[in-house]
Amino acid sequence: AQTVTQSQPEMSVQEAETVTLSCTYDTSESDYYLFWYKQPPSRQMILVIRQEAYKQQNATENRFSVNFQKAAKSFSLKISDSQLGDAAMYFCAYRNPMNRDDKIIFGKGTRLHILP
Amino acid sequence: DAGVTQSPTHLIKTRGQQVTLRCSPKSGHDTVSWYQQALGQGPQFIFQYYEEEERQRGNFPDRFSGHQFPNYSSELNVNALLLGDSALYLCASSLAMGGDNQPQHFGDGTRLSIL
């Protein structure tokens, strides 16, 4: 069974600094998708960034980038120039496109605090 | 363009009661997934509905059931509520033929508290 592990329950970063959130996963599949979702206190799960496993190039979305290490099954999120609005729970997630039910498997999350 | 909407926002029930949660998918979406998010945990997949039928479900008992209507909206029903059912219930929608990499869109969730 696929699993997603986030080993950092909480992290803090100074505003305007850079922070990296860690994630590892386990799967026997070769083709899959990885995601980072942000969940602010408003509760809505917001997609931050997405990586397709067959693509070697790391995904980037403005201040957000990932370090995807397929052999190590590692998928970390780097947030540059941290802003107060980045404070939230961040979930690493996995999806296997071959699964008919399209379910997403989430880690337990990392709570990110931004210090002014 | 309306996103995923869920109702109610909050709900308080007692043990043994039954509850129905509702979800309207994002405009143009035809598939609805339900997740349970316990406090301090990541969401866990309950099941998904497409063409008014349930697809493979996660590791949840039969007390959890659902329905999808012709307009693609969906309901999640939970019978014989237990204290452990207290959680945030998230609904996500997607387009079945939208391609492998199209994301699910999430609603704001329903916070269910069991007393």
Side-chain angles (χ1 to χ4, degrees), chain B residues 9 35 44 60 70 74 80-81 90 94 99 104 106:
Chain B
T9 305
Y35 293 83
Q44 289 199 326
F60 282 82
S74 177
L81 286 166
L90 293 168
S94 56
Q104 295 184 2
F106 284 83

Side-chain angles (χ1 to χ4, degrees), chain A residues 34 45 104 112:
Chain A
L34 296 167
M45 199 73 73
I104 298 174
L112 179 64

Side-chain angles (χ1 to χ4, degrees), chain A residues 11-16 82-84 113-116:
Chain A
M11 292 194 70
S12 297
V13 63
Q14 208 75 32
E15 192 177 3
S82 297
Q83 300 176 0
L84 294 178
H113 302 277
I114 310 296
L115 306 174

Side-chain angles (χ1 to χ4, degrees), chain A residues 7-8 17 19 27 31-33 36 47-49 54 57 59-60 64 68 70 73-74 76 83 89 96 103 108 115:
Chain A
S7 59
Q8 305 153 314
E17 297 296 308
V19 64
T27 183
D31 189 20
Y32 47 87
Y33 296 97
W36 278 98
L47 179 64
V48 174
I49 199 165
Y54 65 86
Q57 186 173 7
T60 299
F64 300 87
F68 173 48
K70 191 172 183 179
K73 296 180 181 175
S74 170
S76 61
Q83 300 176 0
M89 282 291 289
N96 179 357
K103 71 179 179 184
K108 290 189 175 182
L115 306 174

Side-chain angles (χ1 to χ4, degrees), chain B residues 71-84:
Chain B
N71 67 352
Y72 308 120
S73 66
S74 177
E75 290 181 348
L76 165 65
N77 301 293
V78 187
N79 295 321
L81 286 166
L82 303 173
L83 293 178

